[in-house]
């Protein structure tokens, strides 16, 4: 991958990288489109990264569908697909980890120990393998994007981190590969996340600024949904991911499926 990327860049071409774990959907395609608009060359990586899954998490059953991915990518305008194997990414004996503190500590960091370390380790290796000029991440995983920005700055990666808006289903549910786990009733219950964010944005627009009151709006809607179990619901600063702030962040279990979503309450919720 690196030789091709260096050839492109030697010709003065800009390279955009879209890191994914496959099971591609329209959210991934929106990142690819943004990369297409802003670069000459678009590289998509597909790697289900064992390092970012906890021991009790869904690594083994994470959706993998290479034929579906190849089909979707055929219709997108992508110059190269980088699909390293686990053995190439983590050869026997590999033991180095990239650890970000601060922004990686609360919320997802606290709920999923080791998760962000897995993410920053693999993303730094992808940056080394591809040497992109820009890399594209989704706002759906807002804290991940902030953690990756911190890492790129701190380790002097000459990569511009671009964050693209969350793509949603017509009823508001943020697209995610894990939505495939939801049964029909769970799929209906999953609307509670975007619906809670919408209600909190309305409260904010009506003048509510007290963090506890905004939290109550989020939790009120989520707790009204019998199939939903709230892991966290907070309103935080979008840089530090600690209160106070305007970014409402949610992690909710619908049955066995863990979903996350977020919205900046100072913005209209259109989803
Ligand atoms: N609904 C979405 N809208 C925009 N970007 C998304 C969406 N879902 C995932 N992404 C982004 O795609 C990239 C790869 O995520 P990945 O883990 O493969 O997908 P998912 O989060 O759906 O399981 C991440 O940067 C993620 O934020
Ligand atoms: Mg994901």
């Amino acid at each position: 991958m690196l030789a091709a990327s260096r050839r492109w860049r030697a010709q003065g071409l800009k390279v955009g990288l879209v890191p994914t774990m496959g099971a591609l959907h329209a959210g991934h395609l929106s990142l690819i489109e943004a990369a297409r608009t802003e670069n000459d060359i678009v590289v998509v990586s597909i790697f289900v990264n064992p390092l970012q899954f906890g021991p009790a998490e869904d690594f083994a059953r994470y959706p993998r569908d290479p034929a579906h991915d190849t089909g979707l990518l055929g219709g997108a305008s992508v110059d190269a697909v980088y699909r390293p194997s686990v053995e190439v990414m983590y050869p026997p004996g590999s033991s180095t980890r990239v650890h970000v503190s601060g922004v990686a500590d609360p919320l997802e960091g606290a709920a999923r120990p080791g998760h962000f370390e897995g993410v920053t380790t693999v993303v730094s290796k992808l940056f080394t393998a591809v040497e992109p000029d820009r890399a594209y991440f989704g706002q759906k995983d807002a804290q991940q994007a902030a953690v990756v920005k911190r890492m790129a700055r701190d380790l002097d990666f000459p990569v511009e981190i671009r964050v693209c808006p969350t793509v949603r289903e017509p009823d508001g549910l943020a697209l995610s590969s894990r939505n495939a786990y939801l049964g029909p009733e769970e799929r209906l219950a999953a609307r509670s996340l975007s619906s809670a964010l919408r209600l909190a944005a309305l409260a904010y627009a009506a003048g509510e600024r007290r963090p506890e009151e905004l939290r109550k709006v989020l939790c009120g809607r989520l707790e009204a949904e019998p199939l939903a179990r709230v892991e966290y619901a907070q309103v935080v600063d979008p840089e530090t991911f600690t209160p106070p702030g305007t970014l409402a962040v949610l992690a909710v279990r619908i049955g066995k499926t863990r979903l996350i979503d977020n919205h900046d309450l100072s913005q209209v919720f259109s989803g």
Side-chain angles (χ1 to χ4, degrees), residues 74-261:
S77 142
V78 167
D79 299 283
V81 181
Y82 179 52
R83 288 183 202 250
S85 65
V86 173
E87 292 70 31
V88 161
M89 200 52 104
Y90 306 117
S94 138
S95 64
T96 303
R97 302 290 179 261
V98 176
H99 181 88
V100 173
S101 49
V103 63
D105 292 333
L107 302 169
E108 287 300 281
R112 303 181 68 188
H115 170 66
F116 281 135
E117 199 172 88
V119 169
T120 42
T121 299
V122 80
V123 170
S124 62
K125 287 179 67 79
L126 292 170
F127 286 177
T128 300
V130 179
E131 293 185 349
D133 295 287
R134 302 188 184 85
Y136 293 80
F137 294 86
Q139 174 67 22
K140 190 205 67 179
D141 300 274
Q143 193 179 2
Q144 166 175 280
V147 168
V148 168
K149 274 187 185 168
R150 183 76 262 162
M151 178 201 72
R153 242 180 265 144
D154 292 351
L155 295 185
D156 307 308
F157 280 107
V159 184
E160 186 186 343
I161 307 301
R162 306 282 289 136
V163 183
C164 303
T166 302
V167 177
R168 297 178 180 281
E169 298 283 3
D171 69 1
L173 177 65
L175 296 190
S176 167
S177 305
R178 288 191 170 96
N179 293 351
Y181 298 150
L182 300 168
E185 283 183 34
E186 293 174 335
R187 173 62 186 80
L188 291 175
R191 295 181 301 185
S192 56
L193 283 86
S194 55
S195 161
L197 294 171
R198 184 183 294 107
L199 289 176
L202 287 172
Y204 189 96
E208 185 57 77
R209 295 291 184 274
R210 292 168 294 177
E212 262 321 296
E213 293 306 311
L214 292 167
R215 248 195 110 239
K216 269 187 207 159
V217 173
L218 293 168
C219 291
R221 173 64 185 91
L222 293 168
E223 283 159 10
E225 177 51 65
L227 293 182
R229 213 177 71 239
V230 181
E231 227 172 73
Y232 62 72
Q234 285 197 41
V235 186
V236 299
D237 180 279
E239 308 270 303
T240 64
F241 286 79
T242 54
T246 59
L247 187 71
V249 285
L250 305 178
V252 179
R253 273 187 204 278
I254 307 285
K256 286 195 169 96
T257 304
R258 184 174 186 279
L259 300 178
I260 59 172
D261 201 351

